[in-house]
């Protein structure tokens, strides 16, 4: 099954995709994770992406489309994959349709005020990309999977979160109608716990 996770920043796309990877055995393809890795490694893509990612704007379409196209051609995508954070514009969706067949688009829905609280408390592992909220860590500052020191993403400051929400509303939210028109949209209300939301996501995929 080829799945897209849609939804505003902080809705839980990465959290749910990581759980689903364990359950379905198909890879999570996060353009945000790929861009941050390229930035850490100082590659040409990373240098090009840096100013957009750190300000909460969108990296140019041609850059992200190229990295997704290359990634989907890898062997581990043959039996399905989950796209997390891509597409993010109607143009990206139209280009994706030229090289991939998407079965379902799951839209994770969450009000803005909850988003700001979730993102400002997020901590991530720079080594294995595991995601936590400070409320789950009990004061610990290390990753439960690999022991690396957790970090706060630069774009998780309140000002940048507000910009990301604006960019989402203007450029990404139109994808909800785009996939609804194709008859493959499933909407999940993500105000519950991680486990409650995971049950709703699985139910949406079975529908
Ligand atoms: P990206 O990394 O994709 O960021 P995003 O879309 O803003 O999404 P997030 O990763 O912030 O949130 P999420 O929905 O995955 O939530 P999470 O599970 O972490 O992109 C970053 C940047 O890269 C973009 O701004 C852009 O510049 C660039 N980019 C990426 N893709 C691009 C593209 N296609 N085109 C152009 N540019 C692109 O959860 C958030 C927090 O909430 C965590 O702390 C988590 O532990 C917690 N949490 C999750 N679920 C729950 C719950 N049920 N209850 C309580 N806490 C919860």
């Amino acid at each position: 099954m080829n799945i897209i996770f849609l939804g505003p920043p902080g809705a839980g796309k990465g959290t749910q995709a990581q759980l689903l990877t364990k359950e379905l055995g198909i890879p999570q393809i996060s353009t945000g994770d790929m861009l941050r890795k390229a930035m850490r490694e100082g590659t040409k893509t990373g240098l090009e992406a840096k100013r957009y990612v750190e300000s909460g704007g969108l990296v140019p379409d041609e850059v992200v489309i190229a990295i997704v196209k290359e990634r989907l051609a890898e062997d581990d995508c043959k039996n399905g994959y989950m796209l997390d954070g891509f597409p993010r514009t109607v143009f990206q969706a139209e280009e994706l349709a030229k090289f991939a067949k998407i079965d379902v688009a799951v839209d994770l829905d969450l009000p803005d005020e909850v988003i700001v609280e979730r993102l400002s408390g997020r901590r991530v592992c720079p080594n294995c990309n595991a995601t936590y909220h400070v409320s789950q860590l009990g004061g610990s500052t290390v990753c439960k999977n690999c022991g690396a020191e957790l970090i706060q993403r630069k774009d998780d400051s309140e000002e940048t979160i507000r910009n990301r929400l604006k960019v989402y509303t203007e450029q990404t939210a139109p994808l909800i109608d785009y996939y609804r028109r194709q008859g493959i949209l499933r909407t999940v209300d993500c105000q519950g716990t991680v486990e409650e939301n995971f049950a709703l996501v699985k139910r949406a995929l079975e529908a």
Side-chain angles (χ1 to χ4, degrees):
M1 193 184 255
N2 299 336
I3 303 164
I4 288 174
F5 276 110
L6 292 174
K13 302 180 292 294
T15 302
Q16 295 300 322
Q18 283 172 10
L19 291 172
L20 212 52
T21 283
K22 288 183 193 149
E23 181 120 344
L24 299 181
I26 57 175
Q28 169 202 11
I29 297 170
S30 159
T31 40
D33 286 347
M34 290 194 288
L35 292 167
R36 282 184 290 277
K37 180 167 181 280
M39 284 161 53
R40 281 196 301 275
E41 292 171 352
T43 64
K44 185 169 168 278
T45 299
L47 293 173
E48 202 171 346
K50 192 172 164 43
R51 67 191 164 106
Y52 300 102
V53 173
E54 289 185 352
S55 66
L58 292 186
V59 174
D61 285 336
E62 62 275 15
V63 176
V64 277
I65 290 165
I67 60 173
V68 171
K69 192 170 183 183
E70 196 178 314
R71 180 67 184 86
L72 294 190
E74 289 180 25
D75 268 359
D76 64 338
C77 294
K78 288 212 165 70
N79 295 322
Y81 48 80
M82 280 168 281
L83 286 169
D84 159 10
F86 182 93
R88 248 181 164 93
T89 61
V90 171
F91 180 73
Q92 289 179 16
E94 289 168 348
E95 289 301 302
L96 174 68
K98 295 178 185 169
F99 59 88
K101 156 116 183 40
I102 301 303
D103 299 300
V104 56
V106 183
D107 175 37
L108 305 183
D109 192 30
L110 198 66
D112 285 6
E113 59 276 16
V114 185
I115 288 171
V116 176
E117 194 279 320
R118 282 195 189 173
L119 288 183
S120 44
R122 172 164 58 185
R123 297 295 180 270
V124 293
C125 175
N127 182 42
C128 72
N129 292 325
T131 300
Y132 304 91
H133 189 270
V134 282
S135 59
Q136 306 168 320
L137 289 168
S140 168
T141 58
V142 296
C143 177
K144 291 176 190 168
N145 291 341
C146 69
E149 193 67 27
L150 299 173
I151 57 166
Q152 183 165 25
R153 275 171 44 175
K154 273 201 175 146
D155 59 347
D156 278 348
S157 69
E158 183 157 346
E159 190 191 344
T160 311
I161 294 168
R162 299 268 175 214
N163 189 38
R164 287 160 62 198
L165 284 170
K166 184 168 171 284
V167 169
Y168 169 79
T169 304
E170 290 171 359
Q171 301 195 53
T172 308
L175 288 174
I176 296 172
D177 268 345
Y178 176 89
Y179 286 112
R180 184 179 288 123
R181 282 196 300 274
Q182 296 187 10
I184 61 168
L185 183 77
R186 309 274 185 277
T187 301
V188 172
D189 179 337
C190 279
Q191 295 187 67
T193 64
V194 170
E195 295 73 21
E196 286 165 350
N197 295 344
F198 189 45
L200 293 175
V201 166
K202 285 195 288 185
R203 201 179 305 157
L205 291 174
E206 285 158 13

